[in-house]
Amino acid sequence: MLRACPQELHTAHDTALLDLDGVVYAGGRAVPHAVRALARARSEGMRLSYVTNNAARTPETVADHLTRLGVPAEASEVVTSAQAVARLIADQVEPGARVLCVGGEGLRVALTERGLVVVESADDGPAAVVQGYGGPEMPWARLAEAALAVGAGVPWFASNTDLTIPGERGIAPGNGAAVEVVRIATRWMRDAPEPQVAGKPRPPMHRETILRTGARRPLVVGDRLDTDIEGANGAGVASLLVLTGVTDAAQLLTARPVHRPTHLAADLRGLLVAHPEPVRAQGPDSPWECGGWQASADRGRLLLSGGGDPVDGLRALCAAAWTAADEAGEPGREWEATAAVDTLGL
């Protein structure tokens, strides 16, 4: 359930663990309001750390990109799934082992920093094969090498399994789609292998983030329920979902408990404000209220009335949808909520 935070989030938490794609930027452009919101949060004492499942770029490249967008950042403030999976591999193979790398520069650099030797072919005797997002130019032949290595019994790793990645022109295939290609190509094996995955929401990514940031009261900020929010819930830390990326209001209403955020905002300005909690002011059978909105669930439909901040209306709808679904033993159920969501304009 969404929880209250009576003080601004950037004062209640010492470190924001910010996803990038769909939160801070989309493609090559900053998300609206992101630059000013982050500048104020930093100036008022919050540490910012940029945590991304995108393994294609090095921390230095990511920091340069952020700085050009108006968000000054150092490479040490960037944590990538490439770093997390490189540590995961290094913990399981001999020092200096060969690793077949199917990904971009960020993954190659992370492996090298762990003392591992990057190779290009399944014929090079790799001790591990790892996949990471390599951008839209990833050659098909690279996926074939990964499939050949996995088919030969080489241990398989993936930086992350996000099926999609947001960009300026819309939603494109992510590393998870490339992992699926290798999975399909190795189905012929009697015990078809599965990769060890490091990125959000898996524990290796949280471990890498805490080791590198030292955060004591972290706030995970993301746009994806199945990576950012699930990872935060798995680690037992607070989360803020922003609606600037892949998750929309309708998807949020069907979220299972593991995918439900602690807080909700339209964009990163949500860091700078207190957050209300939906309540049933008139008893257990009354509508859920938040701000000037009232929401209830009735025979498969979500009903909304009132007015005010649209995000408060969505908070009330979430409370109604999640409570009714859980009470019916159907967490994650779908609702007829088109009219209610359209009223909010989110």
Side-chain angles (χ1 to χ4, degrees), residues 160-203:
N160 67 297
T161 52
D162 296 25
L163 291 173
T164 60
I165 186 169
E168 290 183 44
R169 297 173 58 199
I171 304 299
N175 190 55
V179 170
E180 285 300 311
V181 171
V182 176
R183 181 179 283 116
I184 291 168
T186 54
R187 280 181 179 169
W188 58 269
M189 300 176 69
R190 176 171 295 179
D191 296 314
E194 288 292 326
Q196 295 186 52
V197 182
K200 296 178 287 185
R202 304 300 178 89

Side-chain angles (χ1 to χ4, degrees), residues 80-219:
T80 74
S81 63
Q83 294 169 321
V85 77
R87 187 189 297 270
L88 185 64
I89 295 170
D91 286 345
Q92 298 182 40
V93 301
E94 295 295 326
R98 296 179 178 186
V99 178
L100 173 57
C101 175
V102 183
E105 181 186 9
L107 184 54
R108 292 170 177 270
V109 169
L111 293 168
T112 301
E113 288 177 345
R114 287 285 162 197
L116 302 170
V117 177
V118 174
V119 298
E120 303 293 330
S121 171
D123 297 331
D124 291 331
V129 56
V130 59
Q131 289 184 261
Y133 184 67
E137 298 82 17
M138 171 71 75
W140 192 258
R142 304 300 301 144
L143 298 178
E145 291 299 324
L148 290 168
V150 173
V154 177
W156 184 20
F157 297 81
S159 64
N160 67 297
T161 52
D162 296 25
L163 291 173
T164 60
I165 186 169
E168 290 183 44
R169 297 173 58 199
I171 304 299
N175 190 55
V179 170
E180 285 300 311
V181 171
V182 176
R183 181 179 283 116
I184 291 168
T186 54
R187 280 181 179 169
W188 58 269
M189 300 176 69
R190 176 171 295 179
D191 296 314
E194 288 292 326
Q196 295 186 52
V197 182
K200 296 178 287 185
R202 304 300 178 89
M205 189 66 172
H206 181 70
R207 174 193 176 203
E208 192 73 22
T209 300
I210 296 304
L211 286 173
R212 289 178 179 270
T213 66
R216 295 190 176 186
R217 301 189 314 279
L219 175 70

